[in-house]
Amino acid sequence: MFPALRKVILTYRSFIVPMSTAQYNGYDQPHWELTGTQPKDKSYEVRKYPRAVWTSTDQTAPNKGSSSSFRRLADYIGGVNARNEKISMTVPVIQQIPNLSNQLQNATRKMMFYVPHQHQISPPKPTHPQVQNEVMEETIAFVRRFGGYAKTNDWQREASLLYESLMKNGVKDTMVDKSIIYAVSYNSPYRPVFRHNEVWLLLDKGVVNEQ
């Protein structure tokens, strides 16, 4: 690896400014920390997320399938699991949308709920065949925040703006995983104003593994 590139990666991973938050508006959320390398124009954040367990389900035809995907996950936390145990709602709700450059209308997405802190070590096993618990390994996320009711085109636009900001701030194209857009929602659909949405692109795992 080129020395300059290695230095950048080590900075992202090792120099951490503590900014962990355990909850958002009373709901558990994944722990995260700001890395020591942040953009001067403050157009996005660079966060480190530790390894954590999420509950997920796939969805197709996102404009028609998101409600059924949400219902499967809501049923799981409502007690449709191997322990018949109710689990607290958490934030954010994440949708993984494949491929930044593809048309998103017909893409297969994955919807994910964060498993609450108290269940991270031993979450109840899902009983629905389309629901599973999975581990998201430690990762570095480039995060852009925006408001309003976000739809498919909004996520695509915001991801493109995030990518443009990364390039303007000196992040190399090869360092960004462009295969997945993370569409991240923090609010109930019934909240009309002051909505908190984020779009994430991740630091490419291939680049990280070259250390």
Side-chain angles (χ1 to χ4, degrees):
M1 176 183 290
F2 295 110
L5 182 56
R6 177 180 175 82
K7 182 178 180 181
V8 170
I9 295 171
L10 289 175
T11 301
Y12 278 132
R13 299 200 73 192
S14 340
F15 181 30
I16 303 295
V17 179
M19 288 290 290
S20 295
T21 53
Q23 291 193 325
Y24 176 86
N25 287 345
Y27 296 97
D28 281 6
Q29 69 166 340
H31 297 286
W32 55 267
E33 299 172 315
L34 292 179
T35 73
T37 302
Q38 300 296 317
K40 292 182 179 180
D41 63 6
K42 299 182 180 180
S43 58
Y44 60 90
E45 293 179 341
V46 187
R47 299 178 187 167
K48 177 184 176 182
Y49 283 86
R51 185 180 188 272
V53 180
W54 295 69
T55 303
S56 69
T57 187
D58 288 341
Q59 64 181 88
T60 56
N63 290 334
K64 298 179 181 179
S66 59
S67 59
S68 59
S69 298
F70 187 92
R71 174 49 54 194
R72 286 195 292 271
L73 296 179
D75 286 345
Y76 168 77
I77 67 173
V80 182
N81 56 64
R83 297 205 294 255
N84 298 316
E85 181 177 357
K86 291 185 177 181
I87 301 170
S88 299
M89 183 63 188
T90 61
V91 294
V93 176
I94 292 181
Q95 295 182 74
Q96 292 185 8
I97 307 173
N99 202 332
L100 183 60
S101 61
N102 279 356
Q103 294 295 321
L104 302 184
Q105 297 293 338
N106 297 317
T108 298
R109 303 183 181 193
K110 179 184 290 186
M111 182 176 285
M112 306 172 68
F113 284 7
Y114 175 69
V115 172
H117 304 320
Q118 71 181 81
H119 295 287
Q120 278 288 310
I121 295 177
S122 180
K125 183 178 179 180
T127 53
H128 193 290
Q130 291 178 270
V131 177
Q132 52 277 325
N133 291 325
E134 62 177 88
V135 173
M136 184 182 291
E137 297 294 345
E138 178 185 297
T139 191
I140 301 294
F142 303 104
V143 179
R144 176 181 171 87
R145 179 172 174 170
F146 64 101
Y149 282 97
K151 298 182 179 179
T152 296
N153 290 338
D154 299 313
W155 297 117
Q156 186 177 32
R157 182 190 68 247
E158 295 295 330
S160 296
L161 291 172
L162 173 57
Y163 179 79
E164 290 175 9
S165 293
L166 294 172
M167 298 302 102
K168 288 179 182 177
N169 283 276
V171 178
K172 302 297 184 183
D173 173 81
T174 54
M175 297 180 67
V176 183
D177 181 356
K178 299 179 289 296
S179 66
I180 298 287
I181 296 171
Y182 288 76
V184 182
S185 303
Y186 282 80
N187 303 117
S188 160
Y190 304 109
R191 183 186 179 102
V193 295
F194 305 115
R195 296 184 62 80
H196 178 176
N197 309 309
E198 295 174 352
V199 63
W200 301 355
L201 295 173
L202 302 188
L203 183 68
D204 189 85
K205 292 183 175 63
V207 175
V208 173
N209 290 338
E210 291 181 12
Q211 292 186 63

